[in-house]
């Protein structure tokens, strides 16, 4: 599209040369705020989850401090997810290309990337992870408020107390599952991914391999679709 | 009870066996509340505050004699007043001393995530150790009697201690000491059960209360506070005493099988990605020449 969108820091790339901008500064800051506060909630939450993991709570300042901060920093995590939605909502809609890619996901798992259909800025797995975190954050927030003010839930509505525990634990475990895969892929598996979310850049070859439609868009200078 | 370890086992230069040798002490303590002789004077409420050093709180008037709607973090002992119409139309004022029941299977203790915040002594008393409490409120969800109460200033949970400090010195709880009608008794669980059953029998045989009986709910393994009720088939009439209390299923599942399922799932995830790495390794792009027009 227009030149301004090519150089705009948001969701576009500077296609000149070998390096392509994949994430704007705002996107990176957002990602790391979300990541940091998710990890804090994870570490403290796991401490409350099991006595065998309570030492993690001790590491971040002890039980009472963790109990005090977990819900508040959970709110910060939730806010970062809202911001992330603003940045990525459109990019994360599942497209027909994603469905074709998903049908061929075995090739992705086996690192046979040359046999995969081309995709846009994010692949099906990344999008699923986004939606997992999106719905997970909403459920964690609502159920977390139930745990936060458990005594304010009247005795006659005590099923809400039990529901809060169930939903919070289930949503936490679901996001943890996604989180394990996300961290593994971002650090060990997809080389170049970790640098991209820190420095914001990927190589042209990387973009071409993993997100060919997006790469071509960037090359044509139309990355900011619509 | 605390002196049990100092019972004499052997004595030097003593003719015959040590006095009291072989005697077994029942360690389990119990409070017996006979609701049929309670007059609602609230002496026990005051004694509880006095012994535990709390000031009298503002009362809530709600067209009843009851001091406030429920116990609170600094008000552990509350007489619940309930107007009840008997089947024959007679009006009864039911009065029940509400406090921690000291369950043999305490739901609060099962739910609590903090090391040492709740303990159960061998004498059966369930006690909160506020220095270890993190204020998470899980005990509130675990308790079938709605007893633990949160102090939002100190962020700690509180409830009746059954005067563990007094009991360990061989004294009876403060509430027992203050009761003017003798409706409160304290002793071993065996003795209190015996006394309670005897009283219930008396009520059935001599006072025409066919449904009189003892409330010692087995769903929580029996309790360290037992009631004699005029009508044991309807404990709810006494200010919501649950008929068949048990630790909520969700809490039992959460603190039991869910731990295994969750931990195995998390471990499975970590092992899974590790195996993937060992089998397939990383996706390298650098130096890899892209095959033009890969399969669509
Ligand atoms: C969105 C805002 C959130 C709120 C308001 C919230 C609130 C709470 C509260 C009040 C508790 C009870 C103990 C405590 O306070 O620490 C709790 C427990 C927990 N939270 Fe959160 N939380 C939130 C987000 C999260 C996130 C992002 C995670 C990440 C996995 C998480 C994982 C957990 C876990 C695992 C537990 C322990 C459950 C157990 O003891 O079995 N929470 N949460
Ligand atoms: S509030 Fe305190 S006593 Fe209650 S479950 Fe949490 S740590 Fe245990």
């Amino acid at each position: 599209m227009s030149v301004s969108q090519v150089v705009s820091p948001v969701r576009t790339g500077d296609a000149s040369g070998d390096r392509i901008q994949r994430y704007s500064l705002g996107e990176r800051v957002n990602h790391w705020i979300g990541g940091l506060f998710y990890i804090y909630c994870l570490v403290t939450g796991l401490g409350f989850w099991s006595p065998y993991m309570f030492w993690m709570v001790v590491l971040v300042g002890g039980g009472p401090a963790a109990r005090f901060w977990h819900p508040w920093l959970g709110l910060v995590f939730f806010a970062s997810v809202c911001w992330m939605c603003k940045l990525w909502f459109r990019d994360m809609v599942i497209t027909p290309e994603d469905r074709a890619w998903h049908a061929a996901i075995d090739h992705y798992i086996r690192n046979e990337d040359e046999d995969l259909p081309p995709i846009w800025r994010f692949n099906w797995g990344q999008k699923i992870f986004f939606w997992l975190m999106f719905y997970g954050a909403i459920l964690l927030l609502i159920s977390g408020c139930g745990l936060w003010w458990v005594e304010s839930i009247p005795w006659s509505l005590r099923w809400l107390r039990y529901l809060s525990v169930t939903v919070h634990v289930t949503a936490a475990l679901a996001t943890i599952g996604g989180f394990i895969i996300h961290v593994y892929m971002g650090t060990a598996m997809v080389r170049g991914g970790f640098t991209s979310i820190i420095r914001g850049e990927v190589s042209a070859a990387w973009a071409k391999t993993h997100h060919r439609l997006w790469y071509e868009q960037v090359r044509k200078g139309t990355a900011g679709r619509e | 009870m605390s002196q049990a370890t100092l019972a004499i086992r052997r004595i030097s230069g003593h003719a015959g066996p040590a006095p009291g040798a072989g005697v077994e002490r029942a360690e389990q303590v119990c409070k017996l509340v006979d609701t049929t002789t309670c007059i609602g004077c609230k002496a026990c409420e005051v004694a509880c505050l006095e012994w535990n050093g709390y000031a009298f709180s503002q009362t809530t008037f709600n067209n009843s004699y009851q001091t406030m709607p429920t116990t609170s973090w600094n008000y552990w002992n509350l007489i619940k007043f309930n107007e009840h119409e008997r089947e024959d139309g007679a009006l009864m004022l039911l009065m029940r001393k509400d406090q921690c029941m000291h369950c043999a299977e305490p739901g609060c203790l099962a739910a609590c995530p903090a090391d040492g915040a709740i303990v159960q002594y061998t004498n059966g008393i369930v006690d909160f150790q506020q220095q270890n409490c993190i204020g998470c409120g899980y005990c509130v969800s675990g308790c079938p009697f709605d007893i633990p109460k949160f102090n939002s200033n100190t962020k700690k949970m509180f409830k009746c201690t059954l005067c563990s400090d007094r009991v360990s010195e061989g004294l009876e709880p403060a509430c027992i000491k203050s009761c003017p009608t003798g409706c409160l008794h304290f002793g071993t669980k065996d003795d209190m059960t015996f006394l309670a059953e005897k009283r219930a029998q008396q009520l059935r045989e001599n006072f025409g209360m066919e449904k009189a009986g003892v409330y010692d709910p087995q769903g929580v393994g029996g309790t360290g506070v037992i009631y004699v009720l005029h009508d044991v088939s309807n404990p709810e009439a006494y200010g919501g005493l649950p008929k068949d209390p048990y630790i909520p299923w969700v809490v039992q599942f959460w603190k039991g099988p869910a731990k295994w399922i969750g931990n195995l799932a998390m471990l499975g995830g970590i092992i899974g990605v590790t195996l993937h790495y060992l089998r397939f390794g990383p996706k390298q792009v650098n130096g890899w020449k892209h095959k033009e027009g890969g399969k669509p």
Side-chain angles (χ1 to χ4, degrees), chain A residues 208-221:
Chain A
K208 208 168 163 184
T209 309
H210 294 310
H211 301 277
R212 185 121 47 82
L213 297 177
W214 172 71
Y215 167 76
E216 282 159 8
Q217 238 180 355
V218 173
R219 274 279 183 247
K220 283 195 229 116

Side-chain angles (χ1 to χ4, degrees), chain A residues 131-190:
Chain A
W131 293 112
L132 175 71
M133 279 299 182
F134 174 76
Y135 291 113
I138 293 172
L139 291 178
L140 285 166
L141 177 74
I142 297 171
S143 59
C145 289
L147 296 177
W148 204 351
W149 295 293
V150 62
E151 236 195 45
S152 313
I153 301 176
W155 181 244
S156 52
L157 296 178
R158 58 190 177 280
W159 57 274
L160 278 173
R161 299 177 177 177
Y162 313 140
L163 186 69
S164 300
V165 166
T166 316
V167 171
H168 206 72
V169 168
T170 312
L173 284 172
T175 63
I176 291 168
F179 184 71
I180 292 171
I181 299 173
H182 176 73
V183 171
Y184 165 63
M185 296 191 49
T187 55
M189 185 181 171
V190 183

Side-chain angles (χ1 to χ4, degrees), chain B residues 82 94 96 215 227 229 231-245:
Chain B
N82 284 275
L94 300 180
R96 178 178 64 89
Y215 183 85
Y227 293 107
L229 304 178
D231 179 0
V232 78
S233 68
N234 187 16
E236 269 99 354
Y238 295 78
L241 197 58
K243 195 176 175 80
D244 181 22

